[in-house]
Amino acid sequence: MSGRAVIVTLVDLQERIEQIRKKMTKEEIERLVTRWKQGRVPDLPLEKIESLLIKSKDVKEAVRGAAQIILDHLKSSYGGVEIFTMESTRPSYGTGKTQIAYLTCVELKKMGVYAVYTAVKLNDVRNGRFRDWLWEIGGSREEAVLFLDEVDVLVSPELREEERRAVIQAFANAVIEYSENLSGDERYRQALVLVLSHKAREYRRRR
C-alpha cells in the first residue's frame, strides 16, 4: 500500500470548523454544499471556501497562476484575442476543472478585469445564439476574459457523427471569426478560455 495515512484529531477538526465559521456564514455554507451536490460551481471567492477544499494550497496556486498568465496577456503591448485552454488530463468525472475555471474568473474580477463565465449550450451553438452572445458580450469591451465551459456537450456520444461535426464546426467558426476580427484592432486585449473535459481533449487530438 502506497501513501501515508492522515491522522485527524478532534483538536484539528475543531480548528478547521472554527476557520470555516470565521470566513463563512451558515447560509453561505448551506448554499455552497447545495451547489456542490448539484454539480454546480461555487459562487464564492477562493478566500471564502479554501477551508473546505481538499489540497487548498494546490487549488490556490492553480487559480492564481492561471489568473496571472491571462493578466500578463491582457497587459501585453501586442493586443489581440488569445485562446487559452483549461484541460482535464483524467477521464474521471469531478476533476475540478470547472471549479478552477470559475474561481479564476472570480480572481480576475477582484483584480478589476471584466471576466464572464458561461456554460456552452448545444442549442445555442446550433442556432447561432452562441455566436451572437460572443459578439454582444465581448465585442462591447476592449478588455475582457470569457470562460467557455461545458464544451464537451459538442462531442456528446448521443449526437450522430454528422451532427457532431456540424456543431463543432459552428463553434470553431464562431470562436475563430471572433478572435481574428478583434485581433486586427490593437485596442482589443482579450482572452477566450475553453474549459475542456478529458473527452473533448481526446476528441480534439484525434482530429
Side-chain angles (χ1 to χ4, degrees):
M1 182 182 294
S2 61
R4 292 185 304 172
V6 178
I7 300 174
V8 179
T9 66
L10 181 58
V11 173
D12 294 331
L13 187 58
Q14 288 174 332
E15 287 178 353
R16 178 59 65 89
I17 292 171
E18 190 59 31
Q19 288 174 2
I20 294 169
R21 283 177 175 168
K22 285 180 179 179
K23 293 184 178 181
M24 300 178 69
T25 65
K26 180 182 177 182
E27 291 73 21
E28 286 174 334
I29 294 172
E30 290 176 350
R31 178 174 175 79
L32 179 63
V33 171
T34 299
R35 290 180 71 87
W36 272 339
K37 283 181 178 178
Q38 295 171 345
R40 300 165 67 191
V41 294
D43 55 351
L44 292 167
L46 181 57
E47 289 74 16
K48 284 271 189 181
I49 67 171
E50 63 179 318
S51 298
L52 289 169
L53 297 176
I54 298 172
K55 297 184 178 180
S56 60
K57 183 180 178 182
D58 293 343
V59 172
K60 188 184 295 185
E61 288 178 356
V63 167
R64 292 182 176 166
Q68 189 59 55
I69 289 171
I70 294 170
L71 194 63
D72 287 345
H73 164 69
L74 297 180
K75 302 305 178 186
S76 73
S77 58
Y78 300 106
V81 179
E82 186 78 14
I83 300 174
F84 296 89
T85 61
M86 285 188 173
E87 302 183 2
S88 172
T89 58
R90 303 199 312 272
S92 56
Y93 176 79
T95 55
K97 67 186 185 312
T98 289
Q99 180 170 275
I100 295 294
Y102 188 84
L103 290 173
T104 303
C105 182
V106 173
E107 187 74 12
L108 287 167
K109 287 180 180 179
K110 285 166 48 186
M111 297 176 179
V113 175
Y114 179 76
V116 177
Y117 169 91
T118 190
V120 174
K121 297 178 177 60
L122 186 59
N123 284 337
D124 287 352
V125 175
R126 279 183 179 134
N127 58 32
R129 280 201 296 265
F130 168 74
R131 178 186 177 278
D132 294 342
W133 175 87
L134 204 55
W135 281 98
E136 179 184 351
I137 300 299
S140 62
R141 293 177 178 267
E142 293 178 3
E143 182 180 282
V145 181
L146 308 181
F147 289 82
L148 308 177
D149 200 357
E150 304 294 343
V151 178
D152 53 316
V153 298
L154 307 179
V155 297
S156 169
E158 296 178 5
L159 297 175
R160 298 189 306 275
E161 182 60 31
E162 182 179 342
E163 186 177 15
R164 190 181 301 132
R165 283 199 300 267
V167 292
I168 290 173
Q169 190 65 54
F171 178 81
N173 287 346
V175 169
I176 292 170
E177 176 195 17
Y178 180 83
S179 174
E180 289 183 348
N181 275 275
L182 291 193
S183 290
D185 189 332
E186 291 185 359
R187 295 175 303 165
Y188 286 93
R189 288 176 171 80
Q190 296 192 5
L192 297 181
V193 184
L194 310 185
V195 186
L196 305 179
S197 67
H198 179 80
K199 179 172 59 178
R201 177 172 173 261
E202 290 303 303
Y203 186 89
R204 186 186 66 171
R205 290 187 172 182
R206 290 198 302 268
R207 298 290 132 178

